[in-house]
Amino acid sequence: MTIRVMLVDDQVLLRTGFRMVLAAQPDMEVVAEAGDGVEALQVLSATAVDVVLMDVRMPKLDGVETTRRICAEAEPPKVLILTTFDLDEYAFSALKAGASGFMLKDVPPAELLAAIRSVHSGDAVVAPSTTRRLLDRFAPMLPSTGREPQHKELERLTEREREVMILVAQGLSNGEIAARLVLSEATVKTHVGRILTKLGLRDRVQVVVLAYETGLVRAGGGGHG
């Protein structure tokens, strides 16, 4: 199955470089390109795309608002944000807008390709360490009561699912969560799947954002038991 990719960046040279890397892959095809958000939305309305590689800083319509509009569609493609800075405030905004993850523009080609495949399969691709640093920096901007979170969505979770959600939000991988809770990795993956379904979330990134927004996890990585 070929992954249909769209490149959205105002730098033609960068798009050319990405296109060359993707074209060499047997399971990927660049089906569309755009130089800004307005053009991207127009192209997407007429083109079937699986994954969008999205720059954040663009003229006319930036990547954050473009991502928000794309993700509001009925069956949107996955959006992978490309940013120049590791802790770019735009990246956090884009994750909240519905992006499935973000990567640095100078990421090695092999990592970019792996990220596209991961996003396409439904995983998030924000590295745990980056997630932790990103949220520790921006969590103070999120509403937090500082007490036991009162959020009706979280009441749908079992105690074990809540435990898993806290560890996901702290940036642990499935393997690390399995070791921490003495479970198999497959069981952890099942729990994560149930959390996504019960809370109506698309991927792990949204789990992290919701955990911080509800106060389930606080900046600094602490969680409520």
Side-chain angles (χ1 to χ4, degrees):
M1 181 182 178
T2 301
I3 303 173
R4 298 164 297 187
V5 181
M6 179 178 187
L7 306 176
V8 183
D9 197 299
D10 60 339
Q11 296 180 46
V12 178
L13 194 60
L14 207 70
R15 294 207 309 267
T16 302
F18 283 139
R19 192 190 321 120
M20 289 173 65
V21 171
L22 300 182
Q25 302 304 306
D27 61 338
M28 294 185 195
E29 180 186 2
V30 176
V31 296
E33 293 185 37
D36 61 67
V38 173
E39 185 185 356
L41 294 172
Q42 290 171 344
V43 173
L44 274 173
S45 67
T47 310
V49 174
D50 298 311
V51 177
V52 178
L53 292 187
M54 178 79 70
D55 185 23
V56 279
R57 303 188 186 201
M58 297 183 294
K60 297 185 184 177
L61 194 66
D62 68 27
V64 175
E65 181 57 30
T66 306
T67 297
R68 186 175 290 112
R69 295 187 191 186
I70 289 173
C71 294
E73 295 295 320
E75 292 185 15
K78 301 293 174 61
V79 178
L80 181 58
I81 295 292
L82 295 172
T83 178
T84 311
F85 306 103
D86 196 2
L87 287 178
D88 191 331
E89 65 273 16
Y90 286 95
F92 181 73
S93 299
L95 295 179
K96 289 201 59 167
S100 293
F102 77 97
M103 305 209 72
L104 296 177
K105 285 187 176 181
D106 62 358
V107 66
E111 286 186 32
L112 176 66
L113 297 170
I116 292 170
R117 293 184 181 106
S118 293
V119 165
H120 182 248
S121 69
D123 291 332
V125 294
V126 183
S129 60
T130 308
T131 304
R132 208 172 289 130
R133 284 185 290 123
L134 184 77
L135 286 163
D136 283 351
R137 176 168 169 182
F138 294 112
M141 301 176 191
L142 298 173
S144 179
T145 59
R147 57 179 186 273
E148 183 66 16
Q150 298 298 322
H151 204 280
K152 60 186 178 192
E153 292 180 16
L154 299 181
E155 292 171 6
R156 302 173 193 160
L157 303 180
T158 64
E159 192 173 336
R160 176 63 87 188
E161 288 164 355
R162 197 178 171 100
E163 269 185 292
V164 170
M165 181 172 176
I166 288 171
L167 295 176
V168 167
Q170 289 174 350
L172 275 65
S173 66
N174 284 355
E176 290 168 333
I177 294 171
R180 180 80 62 90
L181 299 180
V182 198
L183 300 170
S184 72
E185 204 163 328
T187 301
V188 172
K189 196 167 184 179
T190 300
H191 283 313
V192 172
R194 285 180 183 153
I195 291 166
L196 295 178
T197 301
K198 286 183 178 181
L199 301 182
L201 304 176
R202 186 172 44 256
D203 53 39
R204 294 169 78 97
V205 172
Q206 292 196 330
V207 170
V208 175
V209 172
L210 182 65
Y212 274 78
E213 285 185 323
T214 57
L216 186 65
V217 173
R218 293 189 299 270
H224 291 276

